[in-house]
């Protein structure tokens, strides 16, 4: 009898945690697992703001799939289509010819991508904040702008360099802005002639409040805390354009800036439309409470690209966050095993425990089981919770060491901007 083939599309939260659980629970020779993703590592996104701020080494927030999934085949490249009708997927490796992957069971979890709007100049000048590469780039970019401002007497150049705009008042936008502003303010002591008042940090949010995940009261407190630090919080405001580095907001304000970070939401990975997957009106893959794709009992889905019924809130779907993704992965793996073995599947049910957000060193906000925390207790809760959720003892230990060293030594303030242009010096030497 042929060994069942399990294809996992996506190596993020759902993909990696599902593969980990299957790897641990499958008997030898019971099934063969293939994980296909563009990158050969999983990024723990809740730690990206701290990586951007230099509190954590960027390599410590990623988990190499080949190391933690030794029993799985790892394919690095892009899945271009997934078909349920004939149980095949098309795969495009980084180099070489395309492949067709046959499978018996499917785990579809490609995650999400940034949701961009047709705003003039956004695609050309904006910076996202979903990957570790973007976090590293943004850190180097911000420190590089401090270098520029400290090295020129021209006021217009200084003002443009020191204006930082973040669009999107959810977790990603608020945490990224707060951590980077905290880092930049801390670094200014080493930049002669620059003061905190010289920097302009702006948060633009289209709705009437920020951080809706932590509740209205905590969202208002967060806005007040950011304003107390000199950060402009513009709610009920939209970005109209950023052409040529000129920011135009729909409240009538216009100014020049060299930094625009876009964190205004995500959408399902476009792969959902490349095949015959059933989609809802928001382009999410339709799933039942057992995390099976509608009409395909051999295929499962979860995470940001899936419309999973929230049994704790009848009529609604599970929100696209890490808390649900990790728990869905466990239930998905168990239900997939039950399907292979002819056992009983169980529905996914999880009531949201709360939310935590970091606002810089020793500052945070949280809502845990209805209890609201702010300041140091919330910051400590944020670090503790996410450290426990970080995969592998190796990464937990390295992150804990980063934090411990940070208690005794200041953060590095070096901008490695050349990382974005590694051959520039070499090409310059060739021309001389």
């Amino acid at each position: 009898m042929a060994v069942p083939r399990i294809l996992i599309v996506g190596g993020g939260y759902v993909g990696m945690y599902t593969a980990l659980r299957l790897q641990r629970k499958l008997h030898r020779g019971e099934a063969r697992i293939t994980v296909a993703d563009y990158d050969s590592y999983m990024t723990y996104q809740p730690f990206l703001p701290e990586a951007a701020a230099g509190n954590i080494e960027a390599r410590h927030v990623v988990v190499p799939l080949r190391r933690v999934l030794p029993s799985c085949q790892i394919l690095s490249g892009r899945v271009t289509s997934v078909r349920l009708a004939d149980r095949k997927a098309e795969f495009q490796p980084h180099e070489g010819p395309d492949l067709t992957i046959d499978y018996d069971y499917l785990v579809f979890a490609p995650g999400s991508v940034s949701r961009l709007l047709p705003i003039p100049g956004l695609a050309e000048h904006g910076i996202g904040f979903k990957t570790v590469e973007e976090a590293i780039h943004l850190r180097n970019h911000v420190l590089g702008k401090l270098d520029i401002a400290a090295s020129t007497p021209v006021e217009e150049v200084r003002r443009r360099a020191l204006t930082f705009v973040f669009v999107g008042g959810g977790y990603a936008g608020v945490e990224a802005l707060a951590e980077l502003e905290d880092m930049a303010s801390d670094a200014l002591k080493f930049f002669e002639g620059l003061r905190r008042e010289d920097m302009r940090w702006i948060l633009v949010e289209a709705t009437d409040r920020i951080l809706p995940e932590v509740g209205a009261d905590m969202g208002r407190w967060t806005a007040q805390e950011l304003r107390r630090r000199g950060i402009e919080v513009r709610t009920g405001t939209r970005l109209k354009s950023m052409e040529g580095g000129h920011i135009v907001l729909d409240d009538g304000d216009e100014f020049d800036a060299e930094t625009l970070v876009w964190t205004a939401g995500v959408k399902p990975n476009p792969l959902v439309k490349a095949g015959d997957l059933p989609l809802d009106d928001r382009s999410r893959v339709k799933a039942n409470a057992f995390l099976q794709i509608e009409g395909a009992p051999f295929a499962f889905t979860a995470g940001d690209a899936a419309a999973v019924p929230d049994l704790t809130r009848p009529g609604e779907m599970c929100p696209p966050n890490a808390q649900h993704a990790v728990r869905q992965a466990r239930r998905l793996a168990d239900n997939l095993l039950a399907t292979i073995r002819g056992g009983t599947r169980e529905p996914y049910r999880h009531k949201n425990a709360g939310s935590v957000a970091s606002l810089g060193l020793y500052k945070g906000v949280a809502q845990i089981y209805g209890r609201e925390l702010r300041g140091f207790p919330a910051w400590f809760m944020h670090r503790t919770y996410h450290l426990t959720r970080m995969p592998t003892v190796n990464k937990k230990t390295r992150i804990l060491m980063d934090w411990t060293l940070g208690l005794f030594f200041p953060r590095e303030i070096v901008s490695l901007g050349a990382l974005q242009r590694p051959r520039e010096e070499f090409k310059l030497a060739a021309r001389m």
Side-chain angles (χ1 to χ4, degrees), residues 98-386:
D98 293 357
L99 307 174
T100 297
I101 304 174
D102 296 298
Y103 63 85
D104 299 299
Y105 298 95
L106 172 70
V107 177
F108 187 80
S112 59
V113 298
S114 296
R115 177 171 56 85
L116 299 186
L117 299 179
I119 297 174
L122 174 60
E124 294 78 12
H125 304 289
I127 304 171
F129 200 75
K130 273 186 64 64
T131 68
V132 68
E133 293 85 357
E134 289 172 331
I136 295 171
H137 169 74
L138 192 54
R139 169 180 168 77
N140 290 330
H141 177 85
V142 170
L143 290 173
K145 296 306 173 185
L146 297 186
D147 281 329
I148 289 172
S151 304
T152 179
V154 181
E155 184 58 31
E156 181 182 349
V157 175
R158 288 163 60 98
R159 186 167 55 251
R160 286 172 60 96
L162 295 178
T163 300
F164 307 97
V165 182
F166 288 68
V167 181
Y171 272 128
V174 171
E175 288 193 314
L177 181 149
E179 288 283 359
L180 284 164
E181 188 275 338
D182 188 67
M183 176 203 72
S185 298
D186 187 45
L188 284 183
K189 66 173 70 76
F190 303 104
F191 290 84
E192 185 177 353
L194 294 185
R195 302 169 303 160
R196 187 169 185 170
E197 295 77 21
D198 296 329
M199 296 190 299
R200 187 182 183 190
W201 295 80
I202 306 166
L203 178 63
V204 178
E205 167 56 40
T207 65
D208 61 354
R209 64 175 180 171
I210 64 172
L211 283 185
E213 300 90 346
V214 298
D217 290 342
M218 287 291 93
R220 283 191 291 269
W221 180 87
T222 301
Q224 294 172 0
E225 171 66 15
L226 295 178
R227 290 183 176 119
R228 186 188 64 77
R229 289 162 55 174
I231 298 170
E232 301 176 36
V233 180
R234 307 279 191 91
T235 55
T237 306
R238 298 177 185 273
L239 174 71
K240 290 183 66 176
S241 69
M242 191 202 178
E243 294 182 289
H246 185 69
I247 299 284
V248 179
L249 304 178
D250 70 354
D251 62 1
D253 196 8
E254 298 184 25
F255 51 88
D256 292 333
E258 294 179 356
T259 306
L260 173 68
V261 183
W262 181 265
T263 62
V266 297
K267 64 180 180 180
N269 191 301
L271 177 60
V272 298
K273 299 179 180 179
D276 57 0
L277 300 171
L279 306 180
D280 69 359
D281 58 357
R282 296 175 60 182
S283 295
R284 298 173 300 184
V285 180
K286 293 181 181 179
N288 60 26
F290 300 100
L291 302 174
Q292 293 169 301
I293 295 177
E294 188 178 278
F298 58 87
F300 296 78
T301 187
D304 291 359
V308 178
D310 189 341
L311 299 184
T312 66
R313 300 181 302 161
E316 298 189 42
M317 298 295 169
C318 295
N321 58 38
Q323 187 176 150
H324 276 291
V326 173
R327 289 170 171 81
Q328 286 173 356
R330 295 174 187 158
R331 174 51 49 206
L332 190 159
D334 289 345
N335 283 348
L336 176 52
L337 280 171
T339 301
I340 294 174
R341 296 169 179 172
T344 302
R345 294 177 293 271
E346 295 183 14
Y348 171 74
R349 181 190 299 270
H350 171 68
K351 187 173 183 180
N352 191 16
S355 303
V356 291
S358 173
L359 304 177
L361 276 178
Y362 313 121
K363 298 176 281 288
V365 60
Q367 185 184 65
I368 307 296
Y369 294 112
R371 184 176 181 181
E372 297 177 344
L373 300 174
R374 61 187 69 176
F376 180 84
W379 171 84
F380 184 78
M381 177 69 72
H382 173 272
R383 281 198 165 182
T384 302
Y385 172 78
H386 285 300

Side-chain angles (χ1 to χ4, degrees), residues 368-424:
I368 307 296
Y369 294 112
R371 184 176 181 181
E372 297 177 344
L373 300 174
R374 61 187 69 176
F376 180 84
W379 171 84
F380 184 78
M381 177 69 72
H382 173 272
R383 281 198 165 182
T384 302
Y385 172 78
H386 285 300
L387 183 65
T388 62
R389 293 292 178 258
M390 186 70 195
T392 79
V393 174
N394 179 4
K395 295 299 180 179
K396 286 183 173 71
T397 302
R398 290 179 183 275
I399 289 171
L400 195 57
M401 289 177 63
D402 288 339
W403 288 340
T404 303
L405 290 172
L407 296 173
F408 302 100
F409 302 101
R411 286 183 282 203
E412 294 290 345
I413 60 167
V414 177
S415 169
L416 298 177
L419 285 175
Q420 276 68 247
R421 303 177 304 278
R423 297 188 67 250
E424 198 70 24

